[in-house]
Amino acid sequence: MQPFLGPDFLLNSDAAHKLYHEHAADLPIVDYHNHLPPQEIAEDRKWDNIGELWLGHDHYKWRLMRWAGFSEDRITGEASWRQKFDAFAQTMPQCVGNPMFHWSHLELWRYFGLEGTVFSPETADKCWDAANAQLGRPEFSARGLLERMNVELVGTTDDPTDTLEHHAAMLDADLSFKVVPSFRPDKAIKIEADGFTAYLENLSAVSGVSINGFEDLVDALVKRLDRFVELGCRASDHGLDILRAGKETTASRLDAILKKRLGGSALEEDEIADFQNAMLVELGRAYASRDLVMQLHIGPLRNTRTRLFDALGPDTGGDSMNDLAIAGALNALLDRLDRTDELPRTILYCLDPTKNAMLAATAGNFQDGSVPGKVQAGAAWWFNDQLDGMEHQLTQLAQMGLLSRFVGMLTDSRSFLSFPRHEYYRRLVCRMVGGWMEEGAMPPDYDLAGGLIEDICYRNAKRWFL
């Protein structure tokens, strides 16, 4: 019987063991998409206790604590951090089979030296005391935690109206890693959403562009995009709850749609679709001309529980998968950009795992020889970021495209303790590739296999984002 999370966790063959320990374990991390707060990195935040650090941003943990029967007071409410920590300790034994069971222990072990301790109500005091005793040390500040995980790049997620003052401050800081903003213009694209008009007023003020028509809106966004690029931006990101199949239309119609919405009128579905499609095309062209990566995160069903949303707002654990058809709209969007050779390097994600094969096939349609793996079927996302989900995504990509060109894993997390998820991914990849070697599905060539592992765990992401 293997020890729990022992040195050979997930490494079920000699080949997997060799690949992980000789090729993957010590690689730096390029985390090109996450939601870490730039202010906390710029100010090198320190935490008073492990409860605040561990549970303060992590809605993955919050969902499981609710599932285990804890009231909101013990999760996001007025209870003390110790009370919340104890609630999570009571939740942990119930998490067997969930990736959180592995992630949480890896976080305690890799950061706080608690290897071998199984987190539970019985060990809560030990873990609380041991972690808190270390938090005052420099290596447990926001920057220290990133340095300890050998992080080379942090790609945060930022709105076009953000001041970016913290990114600007970090340009002159003596950091061992880069922190760069990623352009996330969702609020300017979701013309149907509440608050759209107020958002455009804010965008106009920040950009210095009076937004009276469609071209003005694009101009305002591009001006902000250029400020992002000045501060090291490598990528954009789009959260597309629905990817609509809009038609190519005229500038006058786009102006009319925008003015109708700014005038307070509700839009028809075809108007929303045409506007959003045109926005994605214009921004895609801007990304291509600046050699930025375009990320499309497609398919969440957001804020489904009204009572939770009213109490806590978005991104608090009330989102799930949607199951909408996207293939036609996605291929049409990419084709519209590709027709004029203005398709940027692109990463496609879908929250519905049944779309993995479609994403891989779509990515293959738009390889043009200009950049290896120019369009990517991106990493298993959110609910799929677990062993079965990652293996399914990687297998489909390998069978339909080139796994060797995959840009690898990311945390997509708000937590400074989430970086052992890269270890989780690397161990799984080594198990898969090692298994192919053991089964005779690929040659027993460690130069070949080791190079593949190093590429899809680090080097490909470095090439794209550094």
Side-chain angles (χ1 to χ4, degrees), residues 98-113:
N98 189 289
M100 188 59 67
F101 192 73
H102 294 148
W103 293 348
S104 297
H105 284 96
L106 289 173
E107 289 162 8
L108 284 178
W109 296 10
R110 299 298 183 257
Y111 289 101
F112 298 102

Side-chain angles (χ1 to χ4, degrees), residues 295-309:
Q295 298 179 89
L296 303 179
H297 282 89
I298 306 168
L301 188 63
R302 295 193 181 273
N303 306 316
T304 61
R305 184 177 165 217
T306 302
R307 191 153 53 98
L308 182 69
F309 179 75

Side-chain angles (χ1 to χ4, degrees), residues 375-402:
V375 179
Q376 294 268 326
W381 172 36
W382 201 339
F383 298 105
N384 304 304
D385 183 10
Q386 28 77 7
L387 297 176
D388 180 70
M390 288 190 289
E391 184 167 13
H392 182 58
Q393 183 268 336
L394 291 164
T395 300
Q396 295 281 48
L397 173 57
Q399 292 175 344
M400 296 187 178
L402 290 181

Side-chain angles (χ1 to χ4, degrees), residues 52-77:
E52 182 182 23
L53 170 59
W54 214 18
L55 303 172
H57 294 298
D58 200 335
H59 60 74
Y60 286 78
K61 293 183 174 76
W62 299 348
R63 282 175 66 94
L64 296 184
M65 293 167 75
R66 293 178 190 128
W67 210 323
F70 286 97
S71 68
E72 203 62 39
D73 182 65
R74 298 282 300 276
I75 304 169
T76 63

Side-chain angles (χ1 to χ4, degrees), residues 37-51:
Q39 181 176 355
E40 295 185 2
I41 306 174
E43 296 175 353
D44 201 18
R45 180 180 175 180
K46 298 176 176 61
W47 290 265
D48 293 330
N49 62 76
I50 179 62

